[in-house]
Amino acid sequence: MDVVKEEFQDGVYAITLNRPEKRNAMDLELLNAFCHALRNAQERKASVVVIRGSGHSFSAGGDLGEVGRSPGRIDSMADALHRGIKLIRKMDAIVIAVIEGLAAGAGVGLAMACDLSVAERKAVMNVGYRRIGLTPEAGGSFFLPRIVGAKKFNEFYLFSRNIDMKEAEERGLVNFVWDEAELEGNLRNMIAELTALPMETVPQFKHLVNTSIYGGLDLHLDRERFSVSQLGNKEQFRTRLDKRLREK
């Protein structure tokens, strides 16, 4: 089974994280395949890239079982994930995250890196990292404070509570929230509306946004990777992770 599915039609490149039995938790295989899919979309000059998860869930974040495989695994996973985040920001296409079910940890960072995010009304977000004794990565500590402000970001991280889509829309984490029955139709209509306008502006628009709002992203991702790698190699994290995995 392909851990990432790809489909290209009428200028729209659909990338689907495909580990439904794990709620699309990200292991190293999935992350590398995801980066490959993003490069394919860029090479094929997609106008719009849609990122979503299979099995009615966006992504539960990093695969904890994968993290526990070896002391250096978390660093390799963060490196692959951050390559994907950089590709999203630098590619010429409009990138849309479609959030269904759960978006947790790295899944939240991934959605925030996209140009637009839409969500199914019953979806839930959770920054989540503190629950397992890690700091954010996937740009979570970069994009979120810029979107919601420092105090609200601190709240989301320190309490690691669920965020429903009413709050997510109010705080600017998602652009549109739709009922499940109308999600696919509204998504198609939104893409049609976006692509009906001049598309040659998009690469320069994204460059301006990256310069004005997201300057310093690459360096910050390196700092996030260093932090999770340091914490992930501490004995207290390994003990906590082993306990959590036994409870599942």
Side-chain angles (χ1 to χ4, degrees):
M1 181 181 72
D2 293 333
V3 293
V4 171
K5 293 182 177 180
E6 302 172 57
E7 183 179 349
F8 187 44
Q9 185 175 1
D10 299 328
V12 179
Y13 207 99
I15 298 174
T16 304
L17 310 182
N18 190 38
R19 299 183 77 210
E21 75 286 355
K22 295 281 190 179
R23 292 191 294 181
N24 304 310
M26 304 174 189
D27 64 1
L28 192 56
E29 181 186 8
L30 181 145
L31 290 167
N32 285 327
F34 177 63
C35 290
H36 182 71
L38 289 170
R39 287 192 292 269
N40 287 342
Q42 179 74 340
E43 288 173 5
R44 299 185 72 174
K45 301 187 185 303
S47 297
V48 174
V49 174
V50 176
I51 300 173
R52 64 193 315 174
S54 61
H56 200 73
S57 191
F58 186 68
S59 176
D63 186 328
L64 297 183
E66 176 86 352
V67 169
R69 282 181 57 183
S70 66
R73 200 68 170 182
I74 192 168
D75 185 69
S76 298
M77 292 170 66
D79 177 57
L81 176 57
H82 290 177
R83 281 189 276 115
I85 298 298
K86 293 173 187 177
L87 285 166
I88 288 171
R89 291 311 319 151
K90 293 175 182 177
M91 68 191 315
D92 294 340
I94 299 170
V95 184
I96 303 170
V98 180
I99 302 167
E100 300 171 89
L102 174 67
V108 176
L110 173 59
M112 296 305 100
C114 296
D115 301 303
L116 297 168
S117 295
V118 303
E120 189 268 321
R121 197 170 304 279
K122 293 180 181 178
V124 172
M125 290 181 175
N126 194 311
V127 176
Y129 292 101
R130 193 159 185 253
R131 290 179 178 272
I132 57 172
L134 292 178
T135 48
E137 30 86 79
S141 65
F142 186 87
F143 297 112
L144 276 167
R146 286 161 169 77
I147 294 170
V148 303
K151 292 291 187 182
K152 185 55 65 172
F153 167 68
N154 293 347
E155 176 187 329
F156 287 163
Y157 172 75
L158 292 172
F159 288 99
S160 290
R161 62 174 176 81
N162 284 346
I163 305 164
D164 63 30
M165 291 305 100
K166 181 177 183 296
E167 181 176 9
E169 186 174 29
E170 290 172 349
R171 295 290 178 183
L173 295 171
V174 297
N175 299 95
F176 303 103
V177 176
W178 298 316
D179 291 331
E180 181 180 359
E182 61 185 9
L183 180 79
E184 300 302 332
N186 284 353
L187 178 61
R188 285 194 298 271
N189 291 339
M190 186 183 82
I191 292 171
E193 185 176 353
L194 287 168
T195 55
L197 296 171
M199 294 300 296
E200 67 269 19
T201 69
V202 174
Q204 293 188 48
F205 158 76
K206 289 189 69 166
H207 175 71
L208 291 170
V209 171
N210 289 339
T211 303
S212 66
I213 303 175
Y214 298 144
L217 173 62
D218 288 7
L219 178 59
H220 191 87
L221 289 174
D222 289 342
R223 289 170 175 157
E224 284 190 341
R225 176 183 168 190
F226 177 79
S227 181
V228 296
S229 296
Q230 289 288 101
L231 289 168
N233 285 315
K234 289 184 179 296
E235 184 61 33
Q236 61 194 30
F237 171 77
R238 315 293 306 178
T239 301
R240 187 182 296 113
L241 178 61
D242 289 343
K243 180 181 178 182
R244 190 178 182 92
L245 291 172
R246 286 196 301 269
E247 291 172 348
K248 285 195 171 184

